[in-house]
Amino acid sequence: MHSYVLALDLEGTLISNAMSQIPRPALAEFLTRCAELFPRIVMFTTVKEERFRNIARLLVDEKVAPTWFADMEYINWQGETKDLRFVPGVDPHQVLLVDDFEKYVHPGQEAQWLQVEHFDYPYSSEDRGLAEVFNALAARIAR
């Protein structure tokens, strides 16, 4: 069993977007279950860190995210794609990226990407995107 770092996108993956900040159904459960599988979880988003921290604190205060979410490691990066080499201390092949948009996947790192269905209007309370990607993550790390 491999030890991976889990890199999570924010907008369209965990929440609607940085403006409306609608949490995806079962967000807290997803994050809690991921913390049981992954020793390290990082935020890898286009949203600037200060804005992310404000959103994360709100989600924690509303009890739709676990308390650790507001203090989780944030990856500072630049460029057009989410190059997993920006995650400190690990090789890119040790990182799994959960993101809704393929355009952010760095060329040559496609095997590290698990696509989650984009969470968009109309926001369905029946959305199963996080449950589906969790199952894919669990299967991936069990290999």
Side-chain angles (χ1 to χ4, degrees):
M1 196 151 138
H2 298 288
S3 179
Y4 287 103
V5 173
L6 178 60
L8 297 173
D9 172 52
L10 183 65
E11 296 181 294
T13 298
L14 302 181
I15 65 169
S16 54
N17 56 61
M19 293 300 293
S20 62
Q21 304 169 23
I22 297 167
R24 194 163 200 157
L27 175 61
E29 178 186 0
F30 171 76
L31 293 170
T32 300
R33 293 179 73 196
C34 284
E36 293 168 0
L37 285 184
F38 295 92
R40 183 174 168 203
I41 302 175
V42 302
M43 179 54 57
F44 208 139
T45 179
T46 59
V47 176
K48 298 292 180 222
E49 184 172 10
E50 182 180 0
R51 181 88 174 116
F52 162 69
R53 297 286 176 207
N54 290 333
I55 292 167
R57 277 192 289 278
L58 179 67
L59 295 172
V60 168
D61 289 347
E62 292 178 350
K63 304 207 181 326
V64 293
T67 54
W68 59 262
F69 185 70
D71 300 313
M72 72 185 293
E73 183 178 352
Y74 178 93
I75 302 302
N76 286 298
W77 62 286
Q78 68 233 354
E80 299 295 312
T81 59
K82 295 179 180 178
D83 187 342
L84 300 177
R85 291 178 294 187
F86 281 107
V87 179
V90 292
D91 292 323
H93 71 274
Q94 295 172 291
V95 182
L96 296 177
L97 173 66
V98 173
D99 203 313
D100 58 319
F101 277 131
E102 186 173 11
K103 74 176 187 172
Y104 285 117
V105 178
H106 191 71
Q109 296 176 358
E110 295 85 0
Q112 303 312 113
W113 174 51
L114 286 90
Q115 185 174 20
V116 64
E117 186 180 336
H118 183 66
F119 184 55
D120 202 359
Y121 183 85
Y123 306 107
S124 169
S125 61
E126 305 300 310
D127 177 85
R128 302 245 329 117
L130 292 179
E132 290 168 7
V133 82
F134 180 82
N135 291 338
L137 285 167
R140 178 71 178 267
I141 66 169
R143 284 188 206 163

